[in-house]
Structure formats: structure tokens, C-alpha cells
Amino acid sequence: MLAARMHEYQKPLLLEQVQEAKNLSGENVLIKVGGAGICRTDLQMIDGYFREYIAHELPLTLGHEIAGWVEEIGESIPENFIKKGDLVVVFSSWGCGVCPQCKSGNEQICGKGKWAGFGPEGGYSEFVLIPSYKYLIKVDKESNLKPEEIAPLTDAGLTTYRAIRKVKHILGPGKSIAIIGMGGLGSYAVQYARILSAGSTVLAFDRNDAKLDLAKRNGADHVINIKNKKSEDIRSEVNKATGRNEVNAAIDVVGTEESIAMGFSMLATEGAYVSSGLVGKQIKIPLFPFVSREFQYYGSFWGNYNDLREVMELAKKGLIKHNVQKFSLSEANDALDLLREGKILGRGVLVP
Ligand SMILES: [Zn+2]
Ligand SMILES: [Zn+2]
């Protein structure tokens, strides 16, 4: 099978033939990849950002946003659960199964967890081996969802869902939520903000007008281009849009020191901030306002299996708009370059 693989840090991926898994045993499932989302963390893997945090060997097939068709199954899969040809999405973070996080359903934050494309082989490939059927969610044929649309829902469309659920309790009519960054994650975050925030005003922030236009089409009430603007200018634009120069919640899918400083500067008293983006390495926020105005700060990482199940229910109902740009496997490096340059609108997806 053909796979785009990482052989060295800071080098382009190599497109090569590798042997796919054969004669599956136990709970294993081989998936014929129909779509593999291209995430900024894939770029960060290549750049070595995770080197000190994640042990893995090279070469490695990247890709943790995977949808495709069941190709082959092991002998220990319950009857009628899945069969060859079924369309599925892959829940790509696989925990130890016994720690408190795993037992409470949060395998994605298991200290001993493994993530497809960050150790185990990922989806930038024609086929991918999944260790258990328990990491799959079957997609009904009647839903008419395409693999390239649903692949990004397993991370970009999942991480943002979980992030917004963290602050949903403080939102409602008369409240507002800001989504910072309109890349692959932001375009979903805007939609979930609409769906989950019970009538709050949704604001989208980015430096790129095309991405902000997309945010409008995805349901943002107001969009603000923050390019070359100081925090006080941005606050006055928020004021112009909503009648208040503060927001009650902010979801930061960028995660630079700059975006976090800007986001906190417009947070209302008792406001909540969620960091999902990981571009920077440190957080620097003024302490006195944080304490005296009782801000809340959440880290939110990926999503759990049940979060993904809920996301797939929304997709099935047609409540999620899919903004994807398709690339072939041989275009993986070009697609990664475009992502690095901020030139992908929505999510880039490899379609082998
Ligand atoms: Zn990702
Ligand atoms: Zn665990």
C-alpha cells in the first residue's frame, strides 16, 4: 500500500510502498482510508514540537483524523457490530484502559495513551490498522456523509466540541463567545458555538478575510479582523458589534502568547477561557485581573469517544457544514506547505 511517511524531522514526507497488515487477529480492524485530515499538529510533529513529550520511532505514518471503510476484521469482533464495507470514523486516542481517566471515558488524556499518527501508524496511507473495533463509530449509509467530510470531525470537529462544552454553562441570551482563529478548528468552533451556546452572540477572530467570510457562512454573528490591531482597538470593535467591549467566553484554537494575551484582555468578569490551540509554548497572563475578576481557565484536549458520538449525531442530522479541501496522498507535502502558509480554507483532507 502507498503511504506518506515521516522519516526525519523537518524534512518532507516520503511517499512509499509499505506492507499493509494481513491475517488480522483479535479485535483488530483494517480500515481502507477514505479521508485523512491534515492537522497543524502534524506539522508540529514534523517540526519536532512534541519530541520531549511523545516517544515514537521513525519512520512514522502521520494522520489522526481518519474515516474510511472496514476492509478486514479480526475474529473477536461481536457479530453485527461492523462488517466489511461499512463506513466508519476512527476515535484515534487509545488509552491504557485501566487508569481513572480511561475508566471515566477520557482515554484521550490517559497518561499512557497512544495516538494514531503519533506512534502507532496513522491515516496518511491507503490502509490503517486499528487495534480495536471499540475505537470505531459506524456511519449510517442513509446519512450520505462522505469520508472526507467526516474525517476532520474526529479531531478538528471534536476538539472544538469539547472545548465549547466546557464553557456552555456560562452562556445564554445576552452573553457572548469569541472564537479565536478561523483555521481548521475555528470553522467548526463557530458552528458549535451557535448550536451549544443557547442564544449567545458568536464572534469570530482571524487575520484573514477569506477565513472570516467562511466564519460568517458558518454562523458567526460578527467577524473581526485582528491583523495589526492592538487589544484596545479589538475591544472597541467588540463593543461596536455587541454593545459591550468584553466577551463571556473565549475559545482559543491558536494558542500563541499573543492570542492568549489578546483573548484575556477582552474577557468579562467571571469569564471563561479555553485553550485548545498549541502554537506557542508558554502562557503569560496578568495575575491580578485573573484572580480579582475570577476568570476561569480551561485546557481542553481533543475529545472522548462519547464526544465523538455526539458530534457524529450532529453530522447525521445535517447540522454541521463541512469545509474541506481535498488532496491526493501524493500531494501530502504540498498540502502541509499550504497549511503552514495559512492558505487552507477549512480543513485539508488527504483522499488516498
Ligand atoms: Zn489534530
Ligand atoms: Zn489510561
Side-chain angles (χ1 to χ4, degrees):
M1 65 172 184
L2 209 53
R5 309 188 82 208
M6 174 180 160
H7 280 251
E8 280 181 78
Y9 287 105
Q10 288 154 10
K11 290 272 162 62
L13 304 180
L14 296 183
L15 194 68
E16 59 188 345
Q17 287 290 340
V18 289
Q19 183 59 54
E20 70 240 32
K22 287 242 155 65
N23 306 319
L24 268 56
S25 61
E27 297 183 352
N28 287 185
V29 182
L30 186 69
I31 302 293
K32 184 180 198 299
V33 178
I38 304 165
C39 183
R40 192 166 52 206
T41 50
D42 297 336
L43 283 178
Q44 290 176 294
M45 266 301 271
I46 296 169
D47 292 346
Y49 179 99
F50 298 114
R51 231 168 157 164
E52 58 185 295
Y53 306 112
I54 304 172
H56 64 83
E57 284 173 12
L58 293 176
L60 167 69
T61 309
L62 299 176
H64 51 278
E65 290 187 346
I66 308 165
W69 300 274
V70 174
E71 176 72 15
E72 203 191 319
I73 58 177
E75 75 282 354
S76 320
I77 294 177
E79 225 174 298
N80 301 329
F81 190 82
I82 44 164
K83 58 177 189 317
K84 187 176 158 107
D86 283 346
L87 179 61
V88 293
V89 288
V90 178
F91 176 70
S92 294
S93 48
W94 310 326
C96 70
V98 292
C99 73
Q101 284 71 36
C102 285
K103 285 294 176 198
S104 66
N106 287 319
E107 285 192 57
Q108 81 285 4
I109 49 173
C110 169
K112 291 183 180 138
K114 288 187 166 43
W115 308 323
F118 294 91
E121 302 287 356
Y124 285 19
S125 181
E126 287 180 298
F127 295 93
V128 61
L129 183 69
I130 306 302
S132 174
Y133 66 94
K134 292 172 185 160
Y135 299 125
L136 303 175
I137 295 176
K138 189 173 152 182
V139 183
D140 297 342
K141 275 210 174 69
E142 306 78 65
S143 65
N144 283 323
L145 290 162
K146 300 185 188 84
E148 67 267 24
E149 293 172 341
I150 53 182
L153 297 181
T154 63
D155 173 22
L158 174 60
T159 300
T160 43
Y161 184 77
R162 187 175 178 85
I164 291 181
R165 284 197 43 188
K166 298 227 158 150
V167 295
K168 147 179 192 265
H169 60 284
I170 63 162
L171 295 167
K175 303 285 179 63
S176 55
I177 174 166
I179 313 294
I180 303 168
M182 285 300 120
L185 274 74
S187 49
Y188 293 105
V190 163
Q191 302 185 52
Y192 297 139
R194 265 260 84 83
I195 296 168
L196 299 175
S197 75
S200 294
T201 300
V202 180
L203 297 108
F205 293 74
D206 203 276
R207 297 161 188 276
N208 178 307
D209 283 331
K211 291 181 181 176
L212 289 170
D213 284 346
L214 182 62
K216 275 233 129 170
R217 296 200 293 279
N218 283 334
D221 294 301
H222 305 282
V223 299
I224 296 176
N225 191 323
I226 55 172
K227 196 173 180 181
N228 300 327
K229 283 181 194 152
K230 292 198 204 83
S231 285
E232 51 265 39
D233 302 332
I234 295 166
R235 282 167 63 98
S236 78
E237 286 202 37
V238 171
N239 194 10
K240 232 189 280 167
T242 67
R244 294 161 57 216
N245 61 4
E246 296 176 324
V247 296
N248 302 93
I251 309 292
D252 183 346
V253 295
V254 180
T256 56
E257 248 183 61
E258 220 186 344
S259 71
I260 295 168
M262 187 270 288
F264 268 94
S265 77
M266 60 182 178
L267 210 54
T269 297
E270 295 187 288
Y273 200 88
V274 186
S275 271
S276 286
L278 278 175
V279 169
K281 289 209 161 185
Q282 298 288 336
I283 298 161
K284 248 196 216 162
I285 41 174
L287 187 58
F288 184 68
F290 185 91
V291 172
S292 64
R293 299 177 67 199
E294 297 203 339
F295 292 152
Q296 299 170 67
Y297 194 3
Y298 298 89
S300 189
F301 184 70
W302 215 332
N304 66 26
Y305 185 92
N306 279 332
D307 295 328
L308 182 57
R309 214 199 303 253
E310 290 176 21
V311 164
M312 294 311 295
E313 285 298 320
L314 293 175
K316 197 166 108 184
K317 286 189 153 189
L319 292 172
I320 300 179
K321 289 194 180 102
H322 310 282
N323 313 115
V324 297
Q325 233 173 299
K326 292 198 278 176
F327 299 90
S328 70
L329 210 47
S330 59
E331 294 170 318
N333 287 313
D334 302 329
L336 285 163
D337 287 345
L338 287 172
L339 178 62
R340 197 183 285 282
E341 292 157 18
K343 287 182 181 158
I344 289 185
L345 204 54
R347 197 59 150 180
V349 179
L350 295 179
V351 179

